[in-house]
Amino acid sequence: MVLEATMICIDNSEWMRNGDYLPSRFEAQADAVNLICGAKTQSNPENTVGILTMAGKGVRVLATPTSDLGKILGCMHGLEMGGEINIVAAIQVAQLALKHRQNKHQQQRIIVFAGSPVNYDKKVLETIGKKLKKNSVAIDIIDFGEEDDGKPEKLEALLTAVNNNGSSHIVHVSPGPNALSDVLLSTPVFTGDGEGGSDFAVAAAAGSASGFDFGVDPNIDPELALALRVSLEEERARQEAAARRAAEEASRQEKGEEPSSNAEDATTAEHGNIADPEENKDASDEMDDENPEEAQAMSIDISGSDLSVGDAEMTLEITEDRELILALEMSMQEGEDDHQSAAESLVSKVLEDQAVVSSILASIPGVDPDDPSVQEILASLRSHFEKKNEDETPNEDD
Amino acid sequence: MSGESASAIQRSQVDLVDFIDWSGVECLNQSTSHSLPNALKQGYRDDDGLNLESDADEQLLIYLPFTQVIKLHSIVIKGPEEEGPKTLKLYSNKEHMGFGNVNDFPPSDTAVLSPDNLQGKPVVLKYVKFQNVRSLTIFIEDNQSGSDITKVQKIGLLGTTVETTDMKGLKKIEDHQH
């Protein structure tokens, strides 16, 4: 969470047309730049990032350090390749841009993508390095692309000249099937000196591999992640319910459940789901009046879930309540009519068990089972279920 | 004459280390293990074993903001005979300078330290130039022996704060200066 101003030096020389990194060196680099910008701004909202190009007609600053991610990503568009890079001038310009940053408390960092050959002497690079060190600027060098002899040594020399207590790093990426950005994710460029700024890296890695969980890292914002997850389940449950009921009950709407859903997609059902045994599609109608209030009174998890039934498979991993699992499985196997009542009866049984409910509630972050409003609602639900049971199935106990 | 006035003035001087705003203190080119607090903070600076040392080369740029406006009378710089600082340039009220722009403006005062000064004798400054100081930048340009590392054992600042300045005392000082 270091407060940092970063200048990224992009290599847009002719050597970037090469396709040894998929799809081309330039695109792999652009990808990596996007990831870095995201990582920096996410690890600390006050971080700023700027971009400059090293080749082309000359060193050109595309964006001065700003925390506006959109602007940074926008200026990456329409970049043309050509010429060769001028590392020395680029680093000096980057240093100047950082010197004039708005927030003087930010640490200064330069990230250099060195994809083409480096034509400068080691000595020159060392002098530049010393200047950077003197002005307490850290540097991250990404050595990829062209591998002519001498390039790694020169870059290492630059690094040693700048390095002050390990705040500067160099990464050598050889061409291969792995994308440049994937390789970088595990390096200190992202993890920031091993401070643990790797949350983003981990999330991004998971995201790129398996579909990011709602774009929010559960480590950083558990409540939001949970809320999104639950609303997701609701959506899916709702859709399944709607599909199932399309044949029979077109009139029943799940109005009550919606207020709490934030309408995101993607999901892995969660204990939030299990925690809502009291809700049931059938019950929703009669509970419509109560639901909006519930949704507001309790955390999103409790009143929201539309369906524990439909999502049985996914929810199983977190459940502590065997009865519930049973109910879910049964509901999946049995016919629609049956399952509703069976689930309901089980659900009401579960509800009656105060201890079970308390434990479920306790497992949800943000809900205090001793909270009077929560207890009130539970009591009302319970009585409601009792009423329903009397009405519908004569052979229910209680 | 100046000796007399110097001692008369010094009677009312206060050690300004209490008025330094620590949150804004910066020092460029210091070595991480031998950093500025070693030379400034009460306990550390009296310990001759704890120094402020320079890192990449022999220059040091120290930026000291103050919590209130002060008048700076003199400074005390203690350092080893060989690696202690020699030429000092002081800039008042210039924020966030870098090594690149130290030469862009004339310093408020320049001091060349003699071995006496390095033992702790205060260097009297041009008081008129430091009447209204919110922040002080000390640029140590080189050291006594020209070595690669400059070492400073203690930096002390003597002066008065604006609110507590005794007007009568101030007049007297002006008389002597002119």
Side-chain angles (χ1 to χ4, degrees):
Chain A
M1 283 291 227
V2 192
L3 186 55
E4 217 173 39
T6 312
M7 275 304 283
I8 305 186
C9 301
I10 296 185
D11 184 345
N12 61 333
S13 61
E14 293 284 356
W15 280 268
M16 290 295 110
R17 294 188 199 273
N18 196 328
D20 52 2
Y21 296 81
L22 295 172
S24 78
R25 284 182 186 169
F26 191 69
E27 318 225 348
Q29 189 189 210
D31 234 358
V33 171
N34 289 347
L35 268 179
I36 293 180
C37 292
K40 295 285 176 195
T41 36
Q42 199 179 54
S43 80
N44 185 330
E46 288 192 39
N47 279 351
T48 54
V49 184
I51 313 238
L52 62 79
T53 51
M54 298 198 277
K57 288 214 180 83
V59 175
R60 197 160 64 98
V61 175
L62 298 174
T64 52
T66 165
S67 48
D68 181 0
L69 204 53
K71 181 166 169 218
I72 298 167
L73 299 182
C75 69
M76 291 285 296
H77 270 101
L79 280 181
E80 302 202 341
M81 295 179 259
E84 52 181 35
I85 60 171
N86 183 348
I87 278 202
V88 171
I91 293 182
Q92 287 173 318
V93 172
Q95 195 182 342
L96 199 60
L98 285 173
K99 187 170 160 198
H100 292 284
R101 64 197 184 286
Q102 286 182 315
N103 180 356
K104 302 288 179 190
H105 292 289
Q106 288 167 328
Q107 307 274 345
Q108 306 170 70
R109 183 173 289 272
I110 301 180
I111 302 184
V112 178
F113 280 86
S116 35
V118 173
N119 292 329
Y120 291 91
D121 264 352
K122 238 195 205 182
K123 293 226 72 186
V124 179
L125 291 175
E126 277 173 5
T127 336
I128 297 266
K130 271 186 67 183
K131 262 187 77 181
L132 287 179
K133 184 173 180 189
K134 208 168 154 187
N135 287 293
S136 65
V137 179
I139 195 171
D140 286 337
I141 308 175
I142 297 160
D143 173 18
F144 69 113
E146 289 296 312
E147 292 177 7
D148 65 351
D149 32 42
K151 183 174 167 203
E153 286 82 37
K154 288 181 187 170
L155 295 176
E156 293 273 0
L158 174 59
L159 186 83
T160 18
V162 185
N163 207 352
N164 183 7
N165 253 3
S167 61
S168 303
H169 317 96
I170 185 169
V171 182
H172 304 275
V173 187
S174 15
N178 301 327
L180 183 61
S181 7
D182 288 342
V183 175
L184 286 179
L185 277 173
S186 55
T187 60
V189 173
F190 269 92
T191 57
D193 301 343
E195 281 165 359
S198 55
D199 276 353
F200 183 89
V202 166
S208 55
S210 63
F212 210 161
D213 284 12
F214 338 116
V216 170
D217 186 336
N219 292 333
I220 291 175
D221 200 348
E223 286 152 357
L224 183 56
L226 199 52
L228 295 177
R229 206 178 291 122
V230 169
S231 60
L232 234 59
E233 297 155 14
E234 292 172 24
E235 257 310 295
R236 188 168 357 112
R238 200 179 56 78
Q239 283 161 3
E240 288 174 17
R244 218 175 320 188
R245 297 226 230 143
E248 14 171 34
E249 297 159 306
S251 59
R252 291 202 175 219
Q253 300 291 321
E254 275 82 34
K255 288 178 288 182
E257 325 314 323
E258 305 313 38
S260 47
S261 106
N262 296 337
E264 303 295 323
D265 293 308
T267 197
T268 18
E270 189 70 57
H271 51 261
N273 200 351
I274 297 282
D276 310 327
E278 61 265 24
E279 295 302 74
N280 193 306
K281 287 163 300 191
D282 256 4
S284 65
D285 240 19
E286 280 151 311
M287 294 171 67
D288 270 353
D289 294 333
E290 301 172 32
N291 287 343
E293 291 142 27
E294 284 169 44
Q296 280 133 33
M298 296 161 66
S299 70
I300 294 181
D301 306 320
I302 289 270
S303 48
S305 183
D306 216 7
L307 91 33
S308 10
V309 223
D311 285 341
E313 298 150 336
M314 322 288 171
T315 57
L316 295 187
E317 37 182 21
I318 308 208
T319 184
E320 320 172 90
D321 191 354
R322 303 209 132 249
E323 274 192 347
L324 221 37
I325 299 176
L326 214 44
L328 298 177
E329 284 172 352
M330 282 170 61
S331 67
M332 301 265 296
Q333 288 154 13
E334 292 169 14
E336 283 167 325
D337 290 335
D338 284 353
H339 87 61
Q340 280 158 4
S341 45
E344 262 188 48
S345 68
L346 271 171
V347 159
S348 59
K349 264 200 231 158
V350 168
L351 261 193
E352 286 155 30
D353 187 357
Q354 175 74 1
V356 169
V357 177
S358 306
S359 71
I360 292 171
L361 286 180
S363 67
I364 303 168
V367 174
D368 179 9
D370 294 336
D371 191 3
S373 52
V374 171
Q375 305 240 349
E376 242 180 293
I377 288 161
L378 279 180
S380 72
L381 281 177
R382 231 172 291 137
S383 58
H384 167 79
F385 265 109
E386 286 165 17
K387 194 177 77 141
K388 280 195 58 60
N389 287 341
E390 284 160 20
D391 289 349
E392 296 192 3
T393 19
N395 60 340
E396 288 300 319
D397 38 83
D398 205 18
Chain B
M1 175 184 60
S2 65
E4 231 180 57
S5 62
S7 52
I9 291 161
Q10 268 158 10
R11 264 186 308 223
S12 57
Q13 301 307 325
V14 157
D15 189 339
L16 295 171
V17 74
D18 302 325
F19 300 104
I20 294 179
D21 174 12
W22 292 100
S23 63
V25 165
E26 280 171 19
C27 180
L28 289 185
N29 201 28
Q30 62 180 336
S31 127
T32 20
S33 49
H34 297 93
S35 60
L36 187 58
N38 286 352
L40 270 184
K41 286 211 168 154
Q42 292 288 20
Y44 303 157
R45 63 186 183 169
D46 297 315
D47 180 352
D48 282 346
L50 288 177
N51 299 342
L52 162 67
E53 284 184 17
S54 68
D55 197 1
D57 62 9
E58 73 281 2
Q59 297 183 339
L60 278 166
L61 191 61
I62 304 168
Y63 171 69
L64 299 170
F66 296 101
T67 52
Q68 48 178 290
V69 179
I70 51 135
K71 299 175 190 289
L72 185 64
H73 173 264
S74 53
I75 58 169
V76 175
I77 303 265
K78 271 174 79 172
E81 249 183 66
E82 297 236 325
E83 289 116 342
K86 188 160 108 186
T87 315
L88 237 68
K89 288 191 178 157
L90 294 150
Y91 302 82
S92 97
N93 298 335
K94 290 267 184 330
E95 318 240 298
H96 304 289
M97 294 182 69
F99 288 104
N101 59 355
V102 274
N103 295 320
D104 287 350
F105 352 85
S108 306
D109 201 357
T110 314
V112 178
L113 298 177
S114 63
D116 275 350
N117 295 122
L118 287 177
Q119 294 303 312
K121 180 162 165 241
V123 179
V124 178
L125 307 169
K126 290 191 191 130
Y127 200 38
V128 286
K129 301 261 187 173
F130 295 99
Q131 290 294 300
N132 196 0
V133 178
R134 285 220 128 258
S135 73
L136 181 68
T137 307
I138 303 174
F139 174 45
I140 298 177
E141 205 170 349
D142 51 22
N143 55 39
Q144 298 284 336
S145 58
S147 70
D148 268 347
I149 299 187
T150 303
K151 296 187 185 167
V152 182
Q153 283 162 347
K154 174 178 173 181
I155 298 177
L157 302 167
L158 297 171
T160 53
T161 58
V162 173
E163 293 94 306
T164 57
T165 301
D166 178 7
M167 288 314 291
K168 260 197 347 196
L170 180 62
K171 258 216 223 136
K172 198 167 133 193
I173 288 162
E174 299 283 36
D175 281 350
H176 282 277
Q177 288 282 13
H178 298 310

